[in-house]
Structure formats: structure tokens, C-alpha cells
Amino acid sequence: MKLIVGLGNPGSEYAKTRHNIGFMVVDRIATRHGFTGLRHRFHAGVLTGLIAEVPCLLMQPTTYMNRSGTAVAEALAFYKLDLA
């Protein structure tokens, strides 16, 4: 499984700003590859699906950018993913 994390800040004041480019990229990937079924886990919005037959987890942490490591660490631990 591959983990793809788009960083951004929660709140309408950051929507569609440069602060949320990571969120926009994840949205585009999800749309392009047909990911559906948004869930909230690991302090993040999460979608799962396949990209080129590879299982992928798309994440948008719901914490502010400086705390996004919490969401990433939780997902890495749960799925036992290697940083490599």
C-alpha cells in the first residue's frame, strides 16, 4: 500500500488558497482515479482505492499543517508501512 498525504489547513478561510495546495492535489488524484467513500480516521479524511493496480490511501489531515505528522504517524503504524 502507498500512502499519499496532501497537506493543508482546515477551515473555509484556507479553502482554495496556496495553503491548501496539498488538499487540492489529493482531490484531483481521487477524482481522476475514481476514489469514493470518504471516511474520517487518523485525524484525517481518508480515501482508499487503486492507482495502476497498487492499493493507495489518500489522506487530508484535519489538523493544521504543523500537526499533520500525528495523522501520518497513526496511518503508518496502523498499516505497518515503511517510509521507504
Side-chain angles (χ1 to χ4, degrees), residues 4-63:
I4 300 171
V5 181
L7 299 182
N9 287 316
S12 59
E13 67 270 26
Y14 297 105
K16 300 191 190 294
T17 68
R18 63 186 174 90
H19 299 283
N20 280 6
I21 291 293
F23 284 3
M24 290 182 242
V25 169
V26 165
D27 288 341
R28 180 72 59 94
I29 292 169
T31 299
R32 183 174 184 177
H33 294 281
F35 285 46
T36 59
L38 179 67
R39 296 180 307 173
H40 294 278
R41 303 178 71 186
F42 317 119
H43 297 86
V46 177
L47 292 164
T48 56
L50 298 174
I51 298 176
E53 304 302 320
V54 176
C56 294
L57 180 73
L58 302 179
M59 289 182 64
Q60 293 175 329
T62 55
T63 59

